[in-house]
Amino acid sequence: MKKIILLIPLLFGITLLTFTLTKALPGDPVLSMVGERAHPETIEKIRRELGADRNILEQYTGYVTLLLRGEFGRSYYTNREVFEDILMKFPNTLKLALVAMMIAVPGGLLMGFIAAVKRGSVADRVISSLSVAGLSIPVFWSGLMIMLFFSLKMNLFPPSGTGDIRFLVLPAITLSLPAVGALSRITRTTVIDVMAMPCITTARAKGVSNVRIHIVHILKNAFIPVVTVIGLDFASYLNGAVLTETIFGWDGIGRFTMEGIIRRDYPVIMGCVITGTVFFVLINMTVDIMYHYLDPRIRLDEKGR
Amino acid sequence: MSRKYPKIGPGSIYRLTGCLIVVFSLLACSPQNRIEGYVYYRLNTNPTTLDPAFIVDVTGGAISAKLFNGLVRIDDDLSIRPDIAERWDVSKDGLTYTFHLRKGVSFSHGRQVRADDFKYSFERILNPEKPTPNTWVLERILGAGEFMKGNARDVIGIRVLDDFTLEICLRTPFSPFLSLLTMTAAYVVPREIIEQKGYDFSGHPVGTGPFVIDEWMPNREIRLIKRDDYFDMPAKVSGILYRIVPEDLTAVTEFDLGNIDVLSIPASEYARYRNDPSKQDLISHMRGLNTYYVGLNCAKPPFDNPVLRKAVAHAIDRRKILNSIYEGRGRLASGPLPDDLRAWDISYPYEYNPQRARELIQKEGAIGRGIKFYVTADQEIVDIAEVIQSYIGAAGLNVTITQLEWSAYKEAVNKGDPDIFYLSWWADYPDPENFLFPLFHSSNHGPAGNRTRYTNTAVDSLIERGQHTRDTRKRNLYYRRAEEMIVADAPWVCLWHRNDYTIRQPWIAHYRIYPVYSMDKGTELAAIPRSVKREARN
């Protein structure tokens, strides 16, 4: 609850920061709106209509009043309500993030687990190199390769577009690759650590079956750092995966934000940053709550302080 | 590799892999559904608005041409032809235009178009309360200035004589006026719909064109349906679907899979398609009405000195850049006007001559002088800029390139920050005036087009005389003299006119590219039915 209350000053700070940063950027949205042949008077008039001629403090208070009324304003270019656009695009981003997570979490955990259990084997080495590859290959390259193979050569999935699950598969795989890499590495390290713990030896001595040891004792203990990584990745996916969305023509928040930034469409930039902040904070809170469930000691520690 | 996993991991991996394979095969193997009879285009960006009053981009202009009509439009031979006005008279003094409208032209919501719709639409462009970027298109009408300042209730130069006769009086004779009326801003729009929809008219436009908008899903697709009651030749296709695909390579993949019918060939793919014998007949090319140039800032040192401007022009091997980086996709420019708009001959006096360039720079004592070269952060442009940098560097000037993202670049160039910059100008209407006036008249410094801040009163007066003369022969004489003087003063290094290449699928018939976006009404194109299409794909 305390964290939710803390969200308010945080959001306030974010608006102030984003607002000043976007205004400090070179480039003027009005110049892009008027095309190549506008008279200075026309430019002045449009600037006045947008309120861009007022000083920055007035503009900021104006924006905050708008926010307090629960509005994000309208895009300078399309004249559409920014809030409505975000509402329309957010489900797409959420879908992509969820499917990418559905690939990354089991894939990463499984790979990391196998690598840890079979430490030093060929499998471990193969998995390790795959994870490094997944982590370090940039999305704009892996995305295109995946598209070339699965769409152009195999004709299995449509290369781009926004729609049902068929359109989701390729961008989700692309987006999940770095997360698979990161997760499998983290899982491997933590599982190895846990396996060396005395409790595991005790369990083995007590004759607990191998499968039970792996699943109940090791995995559960290894989960905490993994959950942190999952939370961070998921939150960043919810803020949009600009490159993946652009390559696969997926209509999500990332592309929307990026276009807003390129065009200096201030209401769009602000709206996206604010929603992004909210999601980041909410997901971090969920992760914190999950810690308590995974390891009750964490809660005790916190109270102890 | 999947065979190895079961050996090492828990047994459930078999089942998991099995499940995944089933899911994948269920999802896969279903090619994209296409709507029968539609033609699929690619857009690389979402158009910002489809309200003709606010459109300033080519994408929006090209789509709105299919949704709206004006009084006149551009014919295939670049002359002006009737559109909603079936004929018009021009008074002897060139001031009064009387348009006789066709009867039976209707908006897509059913109401007939009358002359007062044009008055409303034109006054909407000039509206003092809700300013639009396109005022320059109609500001030459008598009384436009007073109306824009808010000092008049209407534009007195636009008079509705009866339901089907519209009279427009100009402040001064202006020969390209009919050309201006072919532009997006001069399309007719229905008042009642605009008043009802307000801001949303941009997303749900209603016009008179051969197509109506079915749905616009921003950043995804725009669907247009053919109108059966279009007053002119109706479209041959049932509809047009614009798919918004931002990434070039993705668009190429979509095209290769047959999901896009017509594709403007990205530079990176030009050689591949060009060298593929099976594609030869499917590539069209168009001589673009454009000029690419290096602008030299004439308002501040060092390029307020014409000798140094000429030196830069001599320093650059345009032919080599065109043939290498551009792979020959253009024609060398002889002057600022595109060759296809010029009715006279002109020769470009600045052949590549690095020695001469160096001598001129040395003579002016400018060797080693620092030059700020601004470009947009587009890879192709940066490549060209680096070559230009080395050419000018070899001639003795020390060029630093600043890459800016488009919006910041435009601001800097409009303000006159750079010494030199790289830009292009594309025709909105096919008239030499569309290049000479905005780009070189001294009243248009900065954002109105003259970004080199070139000032020459003799050129100004020649351009103005051309604007006011109705006799084509005389006008060409004025324009020719103006162009020759501009070339002699060298505010630009005129580079080339770019050609555009598109590739289409074998099932697309009667395809052609138009030099100006407003010319393509989408009514000529045809798609051969699907059964034939499948064969073609195999």
Side-chain angles (χ1 to χ4, degrees), chain B residues 394-419:
Chain B
L397 295 173
N398 187 9
V399 179
T400 335
I401 294 180
T402 306
Q403 287 181 43
L404 289 174
E405 174 271 313
W406 175 243
S407 167
Y409 173 75
K410 215 169 151 188
E411 189 180 30
V413 171
N414 282 351
K415 279 199 303 201
D417 291 345
D419 296 316

Side-chain angles (χ1 to χ4, degrees), chain B residues 44 73 106 120 127 139 164 190 214 227 286 298 307 352 381 388 482 485:
Chain B
N44 60 4
R73 65 186 182 103
S106 63
Y120 168 75
N127 189 345
E139 68 184 359
F164 299 100
D214 181 19
R227 250 185 90 181
M286 184 263 294
C298 305
V307 180
Y352 174 54
I381 292 174
I388 292 177
M485 288 172 84

Side-chain angles (χ1 to χ4, degrees), chain A residues 175-243:
Chain A
L175 190 58
S176 70
L177 288 183
V180 170
L183 275 177
S184 79
R185 291 195 68 79
I186 284 268
T187 315
R188 181 178 179 275
T189 336
T190 38
V191 167
I192 287 174
D193 284 351
V194 174
M195 270 163 61
M197 276 157 68
C199 65
I200 303 294
T201 322
T202 318
R204 273 190 216 282
K206 278 161 73 183
V208 179
S209 79
N210 219 3
V211 174
R212 206 179 140 79
I213 287 182
H214 282 157
I215 292 175
V216 178
H217 296 265
I218 300 183
L219 259 190
K220 205 181 159 192
N221 276 305
F223 231 65
I224 291 176
V226 173
V227 165
T228 317
V229 173
I230 294 176
L232 283 177
D233 272 348
F234 191 58
S236 79
Y237 290 172
L238 285 187
N239 279 280
V242 179
L243 288 174

Side-chain angles (χ1 to χ4, degrees), chain A residues 27 31 39 160 166 247 264, chain B residues 30 139 250 254 405 410-411:
Chain A
L31 288 181
H39 291 308
S160 77
R166 288 180 301 130
I247 293 169
R264 304 285 186 273
Chain B
S30 39
E139 68 184 359
T250 313
E254 293 278 13
E405 174 271 313
K410 215 169 151 188
E411 189 180 30

Side-chain angles (χ1 to χ4, degrees), chain B residues 1-48:
Chain B
M1 200 176 292
S2 59
R3 253 182 240 152
K4 266 186 190 164
Y5 278 155
K7 266 195 240 162
I8 37 179
S12 60
I13 292 185
Y14 269 132
R15 251 168 284 156
L16 188 77
T17 323
C19 284
L20 276 179
I21 290 172
V22 171
V23 171
F24 261 57
S25 41
L26 277 181
L27 292 175
C29 301
S30 39
Q32 213 159 3
N33 304 322
R34 287 184 52 129
I35 311 173
E36 193 65 50
Y38 272 58
V39 58
Y40 283 61
Y41 281 98
R42 176 241 179 164
L43 300 178
N44 60 4
T45 169
N46 194 37
T48 46

Side-chain angles (χ1 to χ4, degrees), chain B residues 92-151:
Chain B
K92 276 225 175 72
D93 54 10
L95 283 174
T96 311
Y97 290 70
T98 314
F99 295 93
H100 305 277
L101 309 192
R102 278 189 209 224
K103 297 186 174 97
V105 177
S106 63
F107 290 113
S108 59
H109 68 298
R111 185 173 65 72
Q112 202 174 39
V113 176
R114 295 182 310 259
D116 56 350
D117 288 314
F118 277 98
K119 185 170 169 74
Y120 168 75
S121 307
F122 289 2
E123 286 177 354
R124 185 166 169 257
I125 301 293
L126 303 169
N127 189 345
E129 253 116 67
K130 176 94 183 93
T132 71
N134 292 314
T135 49
W136 63 271
V137 178
L138 299 169
E139 68 184 359
R140 290 171 188 278
I141 298 175
L142 182 71
E146 288 71 35
F147 182 71
M148 283 195 289
K149 284 196 195 93
N151 298 338

